[in-house]
Amino acid sequence: MKVIDVYEQYFAAECTYSGVPRHAAVIKLTATSDAGTITYEVGVSFFPHNDPEDFGISYDAYGSEVLFSDRGRRSAKRDEQYLQEVQKTADRIAGQLNGTIFWDRPLIEARRG
């Protein structure tokens, strides 16, 4: 199984989960390839981020959604297609966790793989 983070970026956010305030979120688009099948999945994880150096991810405030899973392989065209869905999907996941992502306040530059 090959797992690749197609996209990853950290943003300011707000969420309280398990009684703990979270002030940031990491957003990922992951491609998993296994035995001729490709899966694209968006993941959102809210974490405390209590100071500018605090990037300790807590995975209890986490949600994900599979965008595509079928026979095939990863391609630049597919990466771009599903990158277009990241923000809308991440907002839906954040809503399920009673959180908000502040897309206009990135904490780091986007990483692409």
Side-chain angles (χ1 to χ4, degrees), residues 6-74:
V6 175
Y7 166 84
E8 177 183 62
Q9 192 166 11
Y10 294 71
F11 291 91
E14 288 299 324
C15 179
T16 299
Y17 195 87
S18 296
V20 179
R22 319 299 170 107
H23 306 290
V26 58
I27 314 303
K28 290 185 179 188
L29 174 63
T30 304
T32 305
S33 178
D34 188 31
T37 299
I38 185 75
T39 300
Y40 283 89
E41 181 177 18
V42 174
V44 177
S45 184
F46 288 95
F47 61 99
H49 193 61
N50 291 319
D51 66 62
E53 302 299 316
D54 178 14
F55 285 90
I57 306 299
S58 53
Y59 288 99
D60 61 336
Y62 174 82
S64 67
E65 184 176 315
V66 173
L67 298 178
F68 176 85
S69 185
D70 206 348
R71 296 204 48 78
R73 61 177 154 204
R74 181 178 177 221

Short mmCIF file of all heavy atoms in Angstrom, two decimals, residues 6-74:
data_model
loop_
_atom_site.label_atom_id
_atom_site.label_comp_id
_atom_site.label_asym_id
_atom_site.label_seq_id
_atom_site.Cartn_x
_atom_site.Cartn_y
_atom_site.Cartn_z
N VAL A 6 -1.21 14.30 -0.97
CA VAL A 6 -1.26 15.13 -2.17
C VAL A 6 -1.21 16.59 -1.77
O VAL A 6 -0.57 17.42 -2.42
CB VAL A 6 -2.54 14.83 -2.98
CG1 VAL A 6 -2.69 15.76 -4.17
CG2 VAL A 6 -2.57 13.37 -3.41
N TYR A 7 -1.87 16.92 -0.66
CA TYR A 7 -1.95 18.29 -0.16
C TYR A 7 -2.03 18.24 1.35
O TYR A 7 -2.72 17.40 1.92
CB TYR A 7 -3.20 18.97 -0.74
CG TYR A 7 -3.60 20.25 -0.07
CD1 TYR A 7 -3.02 21.46 -0.44
CD2 TYR A 7 -4.58 20.27 0.92
CE1 TYR A 7 -3.39 22.65 0.17
CE2 TYR A 7 -4.96 21.45 1.53
CZ TYR A 7 -4.38 22.64 1.15
OH TYR A 7 -4.74 23.81 1.76
N GLU A 8 -1.35 19.20 2.00
CA GLU A 8 -1.44 19.35 3.45
C GLU A 8 -1.20 20.81 3.78
O GLU A 8 -0.27 21.42 3.26
CB GLU A 8 -0.40 18.48 4.14
CG GLU A 8 -0.39 18.64 5.65
CD GLU A 8 0.70 17.81 6.32
OE1 GLU A 8 1.89 18.07 6.03
OE2 GLU A 8 0.35 16.93 7.10
N GLN A 9 -2.05 21.36 4.64
CA GLN A 9 -1.86 22.74 5.09
C GLN A 9 -2.54 22.94 6.43
O GLN A 9 -3.56 22.33 6.73
CB GLN A 9 -2.41 23.73 4.06
CG GLN A 9 -1.97 25.15 4.34
CD GLN A 9 -2.21 26.09 3.17
OE1 GLN A 9 -2.88 25.75 2.20
NE2 GLN A 9 -1.65 27.29 3.25
N TYR A 10 -1.95 23.81 7.24
CA TYR A 10 -2.45 24.15 8.56
C TYR A 10 -3.11 25.52 8.51
O TYR A 10 -2.56 26.45 7.90
CB TYR A 10 -1.31 24.18 9.58
CG TYR A 10 -0.66 22.84 9.83
CD1 TYR A 10 0.15 22.23 8.88
CD2 TYR A 10 -0.84 22.19 11.05
CE1 TYR A 10 0.75 21.01 9.12
CE2 TYR A 10 -0.24 20.97 11.29
CZ TYR A 10 0.54 20.38 10.32
OH TYR A 10 1.13 19.16 10.57
N PHE A 11 -4.26 25.65 9.17
CA PHE A 11 -5.00 26.90 9.20
C PHE A 11 -5.44 27.21 10.63
O PHE A 11 -5.66 26.30 11.43
CB PHE A 11 -6.27 26.79 8.34
CG PHE A 11 -6.01 26.70 6.88
CD1 PHE A 11 -5.85 25.47 6.28
CD2 PHE A 11 -5.91 27.84 6.10
CE1 PHE A 11 -5.60 25.36 4.92
CE2 PHE A 11 -5.66 27.75 4.74
CZ PHE A 11 -5.50 26.52 4.15
N ALA A 12 -5.62 28.50 10.90
CA ALA A 12 -6.28 28.89 12.14
C ALA A 12 -7.71 28.34 12.07
O ALA A 12 -8.30 28.26 11.00
CB ALA A 12 -6.28 30.41 12.29
N ALA A 13 -8.23 27.95 13.21
CA ALA A 13 -9.57 27.35 13.26
C ALA A 13 -10.10 27.46 14.68
O ALA A 13 -9.36 27.82 15.60
CB ALA A 13 -9.50 25.89 12.84
N GLU A 14 -11.36 27.15 14.85
CA GLU A 14 -11.97 27.10 16.17
C GLU A 14 -12.82 25.85 16.27
O GLU A 14 -13.60 25.54 15.37
CB GLU A 14 -12.83 28.33 16.44
CG GLU A 14 -12.06 29.61 16.66
CD GLU A 14 -11.11 29.57 17.85
OE1 GLU A 14 -11.44 28.94 18.88
OE2 GLU A 14 -10.03 30.18 17.76
N CYS A 15 -12.66 25.15 17.39
CA CYS A 15 -13.44 23.96 17.66
C CYS A 15 -13.21 23.59 19.12
O CYS A 15 -12.10 23.73 19.63
CB CYS A 15 -12.97 22.82 16.76
SG CYS A 15 -13.84 21.25 16.99
N THR A 16 -14.25 23.17 19.79
CA THR A 16 -14.08 22.59 21.12
C THR A 16 -14.51 21.14 21.01
O THR A 16 -15.62 20.84 20.56
CB THR A 16 -14.92 23.34 22.17
OG1 THR A 16 -14.47 24.69 22.22
CG2 THR A 16 -14.76 22.70 23.54
N TYR A 17 -13.60 20.26 21.39
CA TYR A 17 -13.86 18.83 21.26
C TYR A 17 -13.37 18.15 22.52
O TYR A 17 -12.28 18.44 23.00
CB TYR A 17 -13.14 18.28 20.02
CG TYR A 17 -13.61 16.91 19.61
CD1 TYR A 17 -14.70 16.77 18.76
CD2 TYR A 17 -12.98 15.77 20.07
CE1 TYR A 17 -15.14 15.53 18.36
CE2 TYR A 17 -13.42 14.51 19.69
CZ TYR A 17 -14.50 14.40 18.83
OH TYR A 17 -14.93 13.16 18.45
N SER A 18 -14.19 17.31 23.10
CA SER A 18 -13.88 16.65 24.37
C SER A 18 -13.54 17.67 25.45
O SER A 18 -12.67 17.46 26.28
CB SER A 18 -12.74 15.65 24.21
OG SER A 18 -13.10 14.61 23.36
N GLY A 19 -14.20 18.82 25.39
CA GLY A 19 -14.00 19.87 26.37
C GLY A 19 -12.71 20.66 26.21
O GLY A 19 -12.40 21.51 27.04
N VAL A 20 -11.97 20.41 25.14
CA VAL A 20 -10.68 21.08 24.91
C VAL A 20 -10.81 22.04 23.73
O VAL A 20 -11.14 21.62 22.62
CB VAL A 20 -9.57 20.05 24.62
CG1 VAL A 20 -8.24 20.75 24.35
CG2 VAL A 20 -9.44 19.06 25.77
N PRO A 21 -10.53 23.34 23.95
CA PRO A 21 -10.56 24.29 22.84
C PRO A 21 -9.44 24.01 21.85
O PRO A 21 -8.30 23.76 22.25
CB PRO A 21 -10.35 25.65 23.51
CG PRO A 21 -10.52 25.43 24.96
CD PRO A 21 -10.26 23.99 25.23
N ARG A 22 -9.77 24.04 20.56
CA ARG A 22 -8.79 23.84 19.48
C ARG A 22 -8.75 25.13 18.68
O ARG A 22 -9.80 25.71 18.39
CB ARG A 22 -9.18 22.68 18.57
CG ARG A 22 -9.73 21.43 19.28
CD ARG A 22 -8.71 20.81 20.23
NE ARG A 22 -9.31 19.77 21.05
CZ ARG A 22 -9.10 18.48 20.90
NH1 ARG A 22 -8.32 18.03 19.96
NH2 ARG A 22 -9.68 17.61 21.72
N HIS A 23 -7.54 25.58 18.31
CA HIS A 23 -7.38 26.86 17.63
C HIS A 23 -6.77 26.72 16.24
O HIS A 23 -6.45 27.73 15.61
CB HIS A 23 -6.53 27.80 18.48
CG HIS A 23 -7.07 27.96 19.87
ND1 HIS A 23 -8.24 28.64 20.15
CD2 HIS A 23 -6.63 27.48 21.06
CE1 HIS A 23 -8.48 28.59 21.45
NE2 HIS A 23 -7.52 27.89 22.03
N ALA A 24 -6.58 25.50 15.77
CA ALA A 24 -5.99 25.27 14.45
C ALA A 24 -6.48 23.93 13.91
O ALA A 24 -6.99 23.09 14.65
CB ALA A 24 -4.47 25.28 14.53
N ALA A 25 -6.29 23.77 12.60
CA ALA A 25 -6.66 22.51 11.95
C ALA A 25 -5.66 22.21 10.85
O ALA A 25 -5.14 23.12 10.21
CB ALA A 25 -8.06 22.61 11.35
N VAL A 26 -5.37 20.94 10.69
CA VAL A 26 -4.57 20.49 9.56
C VAL A 26 -5.53 19.83 8.57
O VAL A 26 -6.39 19.03 8.97
CB VAL A 26 -3.42 19.53 9.97
CG1 VAL A 26 -3.93 18.31 10.69
CG2 VAL A 26 -2.57 19.14 8.77
N ILE A 27 -5.40 20.23 7.31
CA ILE A 27 -6.25 19.73 6.24
C ILE A 27 -5.38 18.92 5.31
O ILE A 27 -4.31 19.38 4.90
CB ILE A 27 -6.89 20.89 5.45
CG1 ILE A 27 -7.45 21.97 6.37
CG2 ILE A 27 -7.91 20.37 4.46
CD1 ILE A 27 -8.47 21.52 7.36
N LYS A 28 -5.83 17.71 4.95
CA LYS A 28 -5.05 16.84 4.06
C LYS A 28 -5.93 16.26 2.96
O LYS A 28 -7.10 15.96 3.19
CB LYS A 28 -4.45 15.66 4.83
CG LYS A 28 -3.37 16.03 5.79
CD LYS A 28 -2.77 14.77 6.40
CE LYS A 28 -1.65 15.10 7.35
NZ LYS A 28 -0.95 13.90 7.79
N LEU A 29 -5.31 16.11 1.80
CA LEU A 29 -5.87 15.29 0.73
C LEU A 29 -4.87 14.17 0.54
O LEU A 29 -3.71 14.41 0.20
CB LEU A 29 -6.04 16.07 -0.57
CG LEU A 29 -6.48 15.24 -1.78
CD1 LEU A 29 -7.87 14.63 -1.55
CD2 LEU A 29 -6.46 16.07 -3.05
N THR A 30 -5.31 12.95 0.80
CA THR A 30 -4.42 11.79 0.77
C THR A 30 -4.86 10.86 -0.35
O THR A 30 -6.05 10.60 -0.53
CB THR A 30 -4.48 11.04 2.11
OG1 THR A 30 -4.16 11.96 3.16
CG2 THR A 30 -3.51 9.88 2.15
N ALA A 31 -3.87 10.36 -1.09
CA ALA A 31 -4.12 9.35 -2.12
C ALA A 31 -3.51 8.04 -1.63
O ALA A 31 -2.34 8.00 -1.26
CB ALA A 31 -3.49 9.76 -3.45
N THR A 32 -4.31 7.00 -1.62
CA THR A 32 -3.84 5.68 -1.21
C THR A 32 -4.01 4.74 -2.39
O THR A 32 -5.11 4.58 -2.92
CB THR A 32 -4.65 5.16 -0.01
OG1 THR A 32 -4.58 6.11 1.04
CG2 THR A 32 -4.11 3.82 0.48
N SER A 33 -2.90 4.12 -2.78
CA SER A 33 -2.90 3.19 -3.91
C SER A 33 -2.57 1.80 -3.40
O SER A 33 -1.60 1.61 -2.68
CB SER A 33 -1.85 3.65 -4.93
OG SER A 33 -1.80 2.76 -6.00
N ASP A 34 -3.43 0.83 -3.77
CA ASP A 34 -3.22 -0.54 -3.31
C ASP A 34 -3.85 -1.51 -4.29
O ASP A 34 -5.06 -1.44 -4.55
CB ASP A 34 -3.82 -0.72 -1.91
CG ASP A 34 -3.46 -2.05 -1.28
OD1 ASP A 34 -2.38 -2.58 -1.57
OD2 ASP A 34 -4.29 -2.55 -0.49
N ALA A 35 -3.06 -2.39 -4.82
CA ALA A 35 -3.53 -3.49 -5.69
C ALA A 35 -4.42 -2.99 -6.84
O ALA A 35 -5.48 -3.54 -7.10
CB ALA A 35 -4.27 -4.53 -4.85
N GLY A 36 -3.99 -1.90 -7.48
CA GLY A 36 -4.73 -1.39 -8.63
C GLY A 36 -5.92 -0.52 -8.30
O GLY A 36 -6.70 -0.16 -9.18
N THR A 37 -6.08 -0.17 -7.04
CA THR A 37 -7.17 0.70 -6.61
C THR A 37 -6.59 1.99 -6.05
O THR A 37 -5.60 1.98 -5.33
CB THR A 37 -8.02 0.02 -5.52
OG1 THR A 37 -8.57 -1.19 -6.06
CG2 THR A 37 -9.16 0.92 -5.05
N ILE A 38 -7.23 3.12 -6.38
CA ILE A 38 -6.80 4.42 -5.86
C ILE A 38 -7.95 5.02 -5.05
O ILE A 38 -9.11 4.93 -5.45
CB ILE A 38 -6.36 5.37 -6.99
CG1 ILE A 38 -5.80 6.68 -6.45
CG2 ILE A 38 -7.47 5.65 -7.98
CD1 ILE A 38 -4.42 6.57 -5.88
N THR A 39 -7.60 5.58 -3.90
CA THR A 39 -8.58 6.24 -3.05
C THR A 39 -8.07 7.63 -2.72
O THR A 39 -6.92 7.80 -2.33
CB THR A 39 -8.78 5.45 -1.74
OG1 THR A 39 -9.25 4.13 -2.08
CG2 THR A 39 -9.78 6.12 -0.82
N TYR A 40 -8.94 8.63 -2.89
CA TYR A 40 -8.64 10.01 -2.49
C TYR A 40 -9.53 10.33 -1.30
O TYR A 40 -10.74 10.14 -1.36
CB TYR A 40 -8.93 10.99 -3.63
CG TYR A 40 -7.86 10.99 -4.70
CD1 TYR A 40 -7.93 10.14 -5.78
CD2 TYR A 40 -6.80 11.88 -4.63
CE1 TYR A 40 -6.96 10.15 -6.77
CE2 TYR A 40 -5.82 11.90 -5.61
CZ TYR A 40 -5.91 11.04 -6.68
OH TYR A 40 -4.94 11.05 -7.65
N GLU A 41 -8.90 10.85 -0.24
CA GLU A 41 -9.62 11.12 1.00
C GLU A 41 -9.20 12.47 1.57
O GLU A 41 -8.01 12.78 1.61
CB GLU A 41 -9.32 10.01 2.00
CG GLU A 41 -10.01 10.14 3.32
CD GLU A 41 -9.73 8.94 4.24
OE1 GLU A 41 -8.75 8.21 3.99
OE2 GLU A 41 -10.48 8.76 5.19
N VAL A 42 -10.18 13.25 2.02
CA VAL A 42 -9.91 14.51 2.71
C VAL A 42 -10.01 14.24 4.20
O VAL A 42 -10.95 13.62 4.67
CB VAL A 42 -10.93 15.60 2.31
CG1 VAL A 42 -10.73 16.87 3.15
CG2 VAL A 42 -10.82 15.93 0.83
N GLY A 43 -9.01 14.73 4.94
CA GLY A 43 -9.00 14.60 6.40
C GLY A 43 -8.84 15.95 7.06
O GLY A 43 -8.14 16.82 6.55
N VAL A 44 -9.52 16.14 8.18
CA VAL A 44 -9.45 17.36 8.98
C VAL A 44 -9.18 16.97 10.42
O VAL A 44 -9.89 16.14 10.97
CB VAL A 44 -10.77 18.17 8.91
CG1 VAL A 44 -10.70 19.39 9.81
CG2 VAL A 44 -11.10 18.55 7.48
N SER A 45 -8.15 17.57 11.01
CA SER A 45 -7.85 17.33 12.42
C SER A 45 -7.66 18.67 13.13
O SER A 45 -6.78 19.44 12.78
CB SER A 45 -6.58 16.48 12.56
OG SER A 45 -6.35 16.17 13.92
N PHE A 46 -8.53 18.93 14.10
CA PHE A 46 -8.41 20.14 14.91
C PHE A 46 -7.45 19.85 16.06
O PHE A 46 -7.48 18.76 16.64
CB PHE A 46 -9.77 20.54 15.49
CG PHE A 46 -10.71 21.10 14.45
CD1 PHE A 46 -11.63 20.27 13.83
CD2 PHE A 46 -10.66 22.42 14.09
CE1 PHE A 46 -12.51 20.76 12.88
CE2 PHE A 46 -11.52 22.94 13.14
CZ PHE A 46 -12.45 22.10 12.53
N PHE A 47 -6.60 20.82 16.39
CA PHE A 47 -5.64 20.64 17.48
C PHE A 47 -5.49 21.93 18.28
O PHE A 47 -5.85 23.01 17.79
CB PHE A 47 -4.29 20.11 16.96
CG PHE A 47 -3.59 21.00 15.98
CD1 PHE A 47 -2.56 21.84 16.40
CD2 PHE A 47 -3.93 20.99 14.64
CE1 PHE A 47 -1.89 22.65 15.50
CE2 PHE A 47 -3.26 21.79 13.73
CZ PHE A 47 -2.24 22.62 14.16
N PRO A 48 -4.97 21.87 19.53
CA PRO A 48 -4.98 23.02 20.43
C PRO A 48 -4.27 24.27 19.91
O PRO A 48 -4.82 25.36 19.99
CB PRO A 48 -4.31 22.49 21.70
CG PRO A 48 -4.65 21.04 21.69
CD PRO A 48 -4.58 20.64 20.24
N HIS A 49 -3.06 24.18 19.43
CA HIS A 49 -2.28 25.32 18.93
C HIS A 49 -2.38 26.51 19.89
O HIS A 49 -2.83 27.60 19.54
CB HIS A 49 -2.74 25.71 17.53
CG HIS A 49 -1.81 26.65 16.84
ND1 HIS A 49 -0.50 26.33 16.55
CD2 HIS A 49 -1.97 27.91 16.36
CE1 HIS A 49 0.08 27.33 15.94
NE2 HIS A 49 -0.80 28.31 15.82
N ASN A 50 -1.92 26.28 21.13
CA ASN A 50 -2.02 27.30 22.17
C ASN A 50 -0.96 28.38 22.09
O ASN A 50 -1.05 29.38 22.79
CB ASN A 50 -2.01 26.63 23.55
CG ASN A 50 -3.27 25.84 23.78
OD1 ASN A 50 -4.37 26.28 23.42
ND2 ASN A 50 -3.14 24.66 24.33
N ASP A 51 0.07 28.18 21.28
CA ASP A 51 1.05 29.22 21.02
C ASP A 51 1.59 29.01 19.61
O ASP A 51 1.37 27.95 19.01
CB ASP A 51 2.17 29.22 22.07
CG ASP A 51 3.02 27.97 22.05
OD1 ASP A 51 3.68 27.72 21.02
OD2 ASP A 51 3.05 27.25 23.07
N PRO A 52 2.30 29.98 19.05
CA PRO A 52 2.74 29.89 17.66
C PRO A 52 3.64 28.69 17.34
O PRO A 52 3.77 28.30 16.19
CB PRO A 52 3.50 31.20 17.43
CG PRO A 52 2.96 32.14 18.45
CD PRO A 52 2.60 31.29 19.64
N GLU A 53 4.25 28.09 18.34
CA GLU A 53 5.14 26.94 18.13
C GLU A 53 4.45 25.60 18.39
O GLU A 53 5.04 24.56 18.19
CB GLU A 53 6.37 27.05 19.05
CG GLU A 53 7.18 28.33 18.86
CD GLU A 53 7.72 28.46 17.44
OE1 GLU A 53 8.24 27.47 16.89
OE2 GLU A 53 7.61 29.57 16.88
N ASP A 54 3.19 25.63 18.82
CA ASP A 54 2.46 24.42 19.19
C ASP A 54 1.77 23.81 17.98
O ASP A 54 0.70 24.27 17.58
CB ASP A 54 1.44 24.75 20.28
CG ASP A 54 0.60 23.55 20.68
OD1 ASP A 54 0.96 22.41 20.33
OD2 ASP A 54 -0.43 23.75 21.35
N PHE A 55 2.40 22.78 17.41
CA PHE A 55 1.80 22.05 16.30
C PHE A 55 1.59 20.58 16.67
O PHE A 55 1.62 19.71 15.82
CB PHE A 55 2.67 22.18 15.03
CG PHE A 55 2.54 23.53 14.39
CD1 PHE A 55 3.39 24.57 14.75
CD2 PHE A 55 1.56 23.77 13.45
CE1 PHE A 55 3.26 25.82 14.17
CE2 PHE A 55 1.43 25.01 12.85
CZ PHE A 55 2.29 26.04 13.22
N GLY A 56 1.38 20.34 17.97
CA GLY A 56 1.12 18.97 18.44
C GLY A 56 -0.28 18.54 18.05
O GLY A 56 -1.27 19.04 18.59
N ILE A 57 -0.36 17.64 17.08
CA ILE A 57 -1.66 17.21 16.56
C ILE A 57 -2.29 16.20 17.52
O ILE A 57 -1.67 15.26 17.95
CB ILE A 57 -1.49 16.54 15.17
CG1 ILE A 57 -0.74 17.45 14.22
CG2 ILE A 57 -2.85 16.15 14.60
CD1 ILE A 57 -1.40 18.77 13.95
N SER A 58 -3.56 16.46 17.85
CA SER A 58 -4.34 15.52 18.64
C SER A 58 -5.39 14.95 17.70
O SER A 58 -6.17 15.68 17.11
CB SER A 58 -4.99 16.23 19.83
OG SER A 58 -5.72 17.35 19.39
N TYR A 59 -5.38 13.65 17.54
CA TYR A 59 -6.24 13.04 16.52
C TYR A 59 -7.62 12.65 17.02
O TYR A 59 -8.34 11.93 16.33
CB TYR A 59 -5.51 11.83 15.91
CG TYR A 59 -4.38 12.28 15.03
CD1 TYR A 59 -3.07 12.28 15.49
CD2 TYR A 59 -4.62 12.72 13.74
CE1 TYR A 59 -2.03 12.71 14.68
CE2 TYR A 59 -3.59 13.15 12.91
CZ TYR A 59 -2.30 13.14 13.39
OH TYR A 59 -1.28 13.56 12.59
N ASP A 60 -8.03 13.13 18.20
CA ASP A 60 -9.38 12.81 18.65
C ASP A 60 -10.42 13.70 17.96
O ASP A 60 -11.55 13.28 17.78
CB ASP A 60 -9.49 12.90 20.17
CG ASP A 60 -9.18 14.28 20.73
OD1 ASP A 60 -8.47 15.05 20.06
OD2 ASP A 60 -9.65 14.57 21.83
N ALA A 61 -10.05 14.91 17.56
CA ALA A 61 -10.97 15.80 16.86
C ALA A 61 -10.70 15.69 15.36
O ALA A 61 -10.26 16.61 14.70
CB ALA A 61 -10.79 17.23 17.35
N TYR A 62 -10.98 14.50 14.83
CA TYR A 62 -10.62 14.17 13.44
C TYR A 62 -11.84 13.66 12.69
O TYR A 62 -12.68 12.95 13.24
CB TYR A 62 -9.54 13.08 13.44
CG TYR A 62 -9.22 12.57 12.06
CD1 TYR A 62 -8.34 13.26 11.24
CD2 TYR A 62 -9.80 11.41 11.57
CE1 TYR A 62 -8.04 12.81 9.96
CE2 TYR A 62 -9.52 10.93 10.30
CZ TYR A 62 -8.63 11.64 9.50
OH TYR A 62 -8.35 11.19 8.24
N GLY A 63 -11.92 14.05 11.44
CA GLY A 63 -12.95 13.51 10.57
C GLY A 63 -12.39 13.39 9.17
O GLY A 63 -11.43 14.08 8.80
N SER A 64 -12.97 12.50 8.38
CA SER A 64 -12.51 12.33 7.00
C SER A 64 -13.68 11.94 6.11
O SER A 64 -14.73 11.48 6.59
CB SER A 64 -11.41 11.29 6.92
OG SER A 64 -11.91 10.01 7.23
N GLU A 65 -13.45 12.10 4.80
CA GLU A 65 -14.45 11.73 3.81
C GLU A 65 -13.73 11.25 2.56
O GLU A 65 -12.82 11.93 2.07
CB GLU A 65 -15.33 12.92 3.49
CG GLU A 65 -16.46 12.62 2.54
CD GLU A 65 -17.37 13.82 2.31
OE1 GLU A 65 -17.73 14.49 3.30
OE2 GLU A 65 -17.71 14.06 1.14
N VAL A 66 -14.13 10.11 2.05
CA VAL A 66 -13.56 9.58 0.82
C VAL A 66 -14.24 10.27 -0.36
O VAL A 66 -15.48 10.28 -0.46
CB VAL A 66 -13.75 8.05 0.74
CG1 VAL A 66 -13.31 7.53 -0.63
CG2 VAL A 66 -12.98 7.36 1.85
N LEU A 67 -13.43 10.85 -1.24
CA LEU A 67 -13.94 11.51 -2.43
C LEU A 67 -14.07 10.55 -3.61
O LEU A 67 -14.94 10.70 -4.45
CB LEU A 67 -13.03 12.66 -2.84
CG LEU A 67 -12.87 13.79 -1.84
CD1 LEU A 67 -11.90 14.83 -2.38
CD2 LEU A 67 -14.21 14.43 -1.52
N PHE A 68 -13.15 9.57 -3.67
CA PHE A 68 -13.12 8.66 -4.80
C PHE A 68 -12.40 7.39 -4.38
O PHE A 68 -11.37 7.45 -3.72
CB PHE A 68 -12.36 9.31 -5.97
CG PHE A 68 -12.19 8.40 -7.16
CD1 PHE A 68 -13.19 8.29 -8.11
CD2 PHE A 68 -11.02 7.67 -7.33
CE1 PHE A 68 -13.03 7.46 -9.22
CE2 PHE A 68 -10.85 6.84 -8.43
CZ PHE A 68 -11.85 6.74 -9.38
N SER A 69 -12.93 6.26 -4.78
CA SER A 69 -12.26 4.98 -4.55
C SER A 69 -12.71 4.01 -5.64
O SER A 69 -13.89 3.66 -5.70
CB SER A 69 -12.58 4.42 -3.17
OG SER A 69 -11.83 3.25 -2.93
N ASP A 70 -11.76 3.63 -6.50
CA ASP A 70 -12.09 2.73 -7.59
C ASP A 70 -10.80 2.22 -8.22
O ASP A 70 -9.71 2.66 -7.86
CB ASP A 70 -12.93 3.46 -8.65
CG ASP A 70 -13.81 2.53 -9.46
OD1 ASP A 70 -13.64 1.29 -9.38
OD2 ASP A 70 -14.70 3.05 -10.17
N ARG A 71 -10.94 1.34 -9.18
CA ARG A 71 -9.77 0.83 -9.88
C ARG A 71 -9.12 1.98 -10.64
O ARG A 71 -9.80 2.86 -11.14
CB ARG A 71 -10.15 -0.28 -10.83
CG ARG A 71 -10.70 -1.48 -10.05
CD ARG A 71 -10.60 -2.81 -10.73
NE ARG A 71 -9.33 -3.18 -11.33
CZ ARG A 71 -8.26 -3.64 -10.67
NH1 ARG A 71 -8.29 -3.72 -9.35
NH2 ARG A 71 -7.18 -3.99 -11.31
N GLY A 72 -7.81 1.98 -10.67
CA GLY A 72 -7.08 3.02 -11.37
C GLY A 72 -5.81 3.37 -10.63
O GLY A 72 -5.38 2.64 -9.73
N ARG A 73 -5.22 4.48 -11.04
CA ARG A 73 -4.00 4.93 -10.37
C ARG A 73 -3.99 6.44 -10.26
O ARG A 73 -4.76 7.13 -10.89
CB ARG A 73 -2.77 4.41 -11.08
CG ARG A 73 -2.64 4.84 -12.49
CD ARG A 73 -1.35 4.31 -13.05
NE ARG A 73 -1.47 4.19 -14.49
CZ ARG A 73 -0.76 3.39 -15.22
NH1 ARG A 73 0.13 2.61 -14.66
NH2 ARG A 73 -0.91 3.36 -16.51
N ARG A 74 -3.07 6.91 -9.46
CA ARG A 74 -2.92 8.34 -9.22
C ARG A 74 -2.40 9.01 -10.48
O ARG A 74 -1.56 8.48 -11.19
CB ARG A 74 -1.93 8.55 -8.08
CG ARG A 74 -1.74 10.00 -7.74
CD ARG A 74 -0.79 10.18 -6.58
NE ARG A 74 -0.59 11.59 -6.36
CZ ARG A 74 0.56 12.13 -6.07
NH1 ARG A 74 1.64 11.39 -5.93
NH2 ARG A 74 0.66 13.43 -5.89
#
